[in-house]
Amino acid sequence: MVVQDWKRFQNDLGEKALLLSESISITAPKAMLRKDYWSLYLSLKNMASKGPGARSEHEIIDAMILDAEGLVQAHLHPAKHPIGLVFSPDNEAEKAISSQAMGARTPTVLSSGGFSQDGFQEGVVPLFSDQKYLGVVRVRLSVVSLFEKAKSTAVIVLLSILLFVFIGSLLGTIVSRRVVGPLTAITHGLEAVGRGEMTDFSPIPVKEGDEIGRLSVTFNQIMSELAEKKMLEEEIAMSEKLVALGRITAGVAHEVNNPLAGLLNCIDTLRQHPNDKELIDRYLPVIDQGLHRIKDIVHNLLVGLKNEDSDEMINIQQVDKLHDLILAEIGERDIKIYWNNTADRDTCIPGKTEQIICNLLKNAVEIIPENGTIDFNMYQEGRRLVIKVSDNGPGVASNIRNQLFDPFFTTKPNGTGLGLWVVYRLVQNMQGIIEVESELGKGTTFLIELPVINRQAA
Ligand code: ADP
Ligand code: MG
């Protein structure tokens, strides 16, 4: 804006200089022919004192009339440039301008100095009499006052811009604080929910009645309800844990304590009759069996609890080793097993998965009669790992369906009732799901989906 204004000012000034020169050029030729130097000088002098340049901001800094040879005919400063002598420019730049002026054959504007206070605009008008070139009139106007004006305009414009920028960014900061403040708090809150940490949530201070304010109110409500739900869930989980613990304690008391009492009795009897061969033959196998059972129970309990906290990862191919293990378990029996593992070869899964599969397969082998078949399927669906273990065994009666996963629930004479309890705990621990489908006399399918699959190569 300032630069454009400055250019327009300069053009206007140039035109004014030209007008002044032209006003002189009307009378100058006659006076020159008459060699009337005095009236030439007066015309310059009058122009300088009365002309528009005198009162306006355009100061006339120079004016002269030269003849065709460049001799001074009249000059505003006669003492410096006497009449009759060749006009002598002050410096090289002036010399160039002078020769341009002497070469002009039509009215021309010469200008100098860009955006500076030394700049000027000079109107040059050649003088003719009957087509004969007589010389030239030069009137030079200074841009100094214009320059000062433009400079202050520029400063005002700059200061205004700075002021606007400052006020703008101040307003922007205030507005964005008001908007972003609650939003940041909401984001932090949601992130906490994402991490499952509800406890450290503090309500967002609500200030305004606008959308943000309403959003904050709603958000606070949601968060406090979520926190309450979480607390209830924790309470329920806690009481469930206590119930489970109670069952385990009762189970251990029953399954371990009772046989122990019997076993101690046997040992007592043996101690009283150390040489009774018949007694020894009868009681030793009983003691052996009883101790093995207790060992099984303790082992199962320990495996379930130990694996729960393990973060060990295994390659998915390791699962295929269970195939051989289960074939060994089947031994001579007439049971077919169809093994189908199509999960990505380089997938890593939690090591607990092995224990889950092992327990399910063992149950199937234990329960199906001769000629039975077991189907093992494992595959990936997106980021979920699906495991299916099916058998064509007797199925599960509906009245015991919801006891299957209870600790120590068993229908087998020598069962521990801990296999499915361990499976259930491990699946829960991995945030997976487990489902049972069963039809009496037809068979049973255990379906497990585990969410987290770690894709890094083993
Ligand atoms: P255990 O095998 O020591 O009995 P589990 O917890 O592994 O203990 O199993 C609990 C009970 O669930 C079994 O006793 C059995 O009655 C029932 N069960 C488990 N798997 C199957 C199956 N594949 N088909 C039918 N019933 C089953
Ligand atoms: Mg079992």
Side-chain angles (χ1 to χ4, degrees):
M1 206 173 76
V2 172
V3 169
Q4 267 181 353
D5 261 8
W6 174 251
K7 276 188 182 152
R8 218 187 49 234
F9 278 151
Q10 272 194 321
N11 281 345
D12 286 355
L13 194 70
E15 256 163 45
K16 266 180 195 142
L18 204 59
L19 269 176
L20 290 173
S21 288
E22 270 166 356
S23 73
I24 302 290
S25 73
I26 298 168
T27 52
K30 275 186 189 156
M32 278 175 85
L33 289 174
R34 286 204 312 273
K35 299 202 189 301
D36 184 355
Y37 302 120
W38 180 242
S39 65
L40 285 177
Y41 172 69
L42 275 185
S43 66
L44 293 184
K45 194 77 185 157
N46 283 342
M47 175 188 69
S49 56
K50 288 194 227 138
R55 275 176 302 276
S56 77
E57 62 267 31
H58 322 305
E59 188 193 349
I60 296 177
I61 44 176
D62 226 348
M64 68 187 85
I65 303 169
L66 306 177
D67 74 359
E69 274 76 46
L71 301 179
V72 177
Q73 303 295 295
H75 199 286
L76 205 53
H77 311 294
K80 222 173 137 198
H81 300 281
I83 298 167
L85 297 187
V86 176
F87 174 70
S88 60
D90 288 345
N91 51 44
E92 284 304 310
E94 282 296 333
K95 215 177 248 175
I97 290 171
S98 256
S99 70
Q100 256 181 297
M102 291 309 294
R105 288 299 176 265
T106 51
T108 312
V109 177
L110 302 176
S111 55
S112 141
F115 188 69
S116 85
Q117 53 188 347
D118 305 328
F120 61 79
Q121 294 282 316
E122 188 174 306
V124 177
V125 177
L127 300 170
F128 293 97
S129 173
D130 296 332
Q131 318 265 318
K132 188 173 172 259
Y133 178 67
L134 293 182
V136 70
V137 181
R138 298 172 61 185
V139 176
R140 182 176 290 190
L141 300 182
S142 163
V143 300
V144 66
S145 55
L146 270 184
F147 174 78
E148 291 303 330
K149 258 192 178 175
K151 211 164 72 175
S152 52
T153 312
V155 169
I156 288 170
V157 167
L158 257 171
L159 284 180
S160 322
I161 289 173
L162 282 179
L163 195 71
F164 279 129
V165 167
F166 177 72
I167 292 174
S169 50
L170 201 71
L171 277 176
T173 314
I174 292 170
V175 169
S176 66
R177 278 252 174 86
R178 275 169 74 164
V179 174
V180 169
L183 288 184
T184 313
I186 288 175
T187 311
H188 286 324
L190 289 178
E191 277 166 5
V193 173
R195 288 192 303 269
E197 305 162 0
M198 291 293 307
T199 39
D200 60 355
F201 167 71
S202 46
I204 306 164
V206 179
K207 285 187 220 121
E208 312 103 64
D210 59 4
E211 281 82 354
I212 297 285
R214 287 208 296 277
L215 179 63
S216 306
V217 170
T218 316
F219 181 73
N220 285 342
Q221 277 170 2
I222 291 173
M223 289 301 270
S224 71
E225 274 164 30
L226 269 179
E228 209 170 301
K229 180 171 168 278
K230 175 93 178 168
M231 244 169 61
L232 274 176
E233 272 174 6
E234 271 165 13
E235 272 170 31
I236 289 171
M238 195 60 204
S239 63
E240 269 174 2
K241 262 184 197 155
L242 288 177
V243 168
L245 192 68
R247 275 206 201 111
I248 293 167
T249 319
V252 170
H254 185 262
E255 301 293 325
V256 177
N257 218 22
N258 291 0
L260 270 184
L263 295 180
L264 288 172
N265 249 337
C266 289
I267 293 170
D268 233 22
T269 313
L270 287 182
R271 197 181 280 141
Q272 280 164 23
H273 312 277
N275 299 319
D276 192 330
K277 180 92 171 61
E278 197 196 329
L279 266 186
I280 293 174
D281 283 349
R282 211 165 80 209
Y283 282 169
L284 264 190
V286 175
I287 294 175
D288 187 58
Q289 211 186 337
L291 285 177
H292 269 105
R293 214 185 117 68
I294 292 174
K295 186 182 149 230
D296 273 359
I297 289 171
V298 173
H299 173 78
N300 267 313
L301 276 174
L302 287 181
V303 160
L305 298 174
K306 192 185 82 190
N307 279 359
E308 231 174 37
D309 296 329
S310 131
D311 286 331
E312 183 208 358
M313 300 294 284
I314 56 163
N315 188 280
I316 201 123
Q317 275 163 293
Q318 237 164 296
V319 170
D320 290 337
K321 286 191 192 142
L322 294 175
H323 190 189
D324 297 330
L325 206 83
I326 223 67
L327 283 177
E329 187 97 3
I330 291 169
E332 298 294 303
R333 295 177 62 200
D334 182 15
I335 292 174
K336 279 202 186 64
I337 177 155
Y338 298 102
W339 196 269
N340 193 17
N341 173 8
T342 60
D344 281 355
R345 293 287 93 182
D346 57 352
T347 305
C348 282
I349 54 172
K352 305 166 198 170
T353 319
E354 251 184 335
Q355 183 74 49
I356 293 172
I357 295 169
C358 185
N359 287 9
L360 295 178
L361 287 173
K362 259 188 176 171
N363 276 350
V365 170
E366 278 164 13
I367 213 141
I368 55 177
E370 296 299 304
N371 298 321
T373 54
I374 300 172
D375 265 296
F376 173 78
N377 277 291
M378 182 154 88
Y379 52 90
Q380 263 168 258
E381 257 178 16
R383 287 185 59 74
R384 299 179 79 79
L385 182 69
V386 183
I387 300 164
K388 263 189 199 170
V389 180
S390 311
D391 63 63
N392 62 354
V396 184
S398 56
N399 60 327
I400 61 163
R401 190 81 53 93
N402 50 13
Q403 284 174 276
L404 284 187
F405 299 103
D406 284 354
F408 299 106
F409 173 79
T410 181
T411 56
K412 300 167 192 166
N414 280 319
T416 60
L418 291 174
L420 288 183
W421 171 73
V422 166
V423 167
Y424 184 77
R425 288 184 67 110
L426 293 181
V427 171
Q428 269 218 320
N429 196 256
M430 291 173 350
Q431 266 118 43
I433 50 172
I434 179 162
E435 280 170 17
V436 193
E437 282 168 28
S438 184
E439 206 178 325
L440 222 53
K442 291 245 170 102
T444 311
T445 298
F446 283 87
L447 179 99
I448 290 172
E449 276 187 41
L450 301 175
V452 186
I453 290 174
N454 187 330
R455 291 190 148 274
Q456 71 200 4

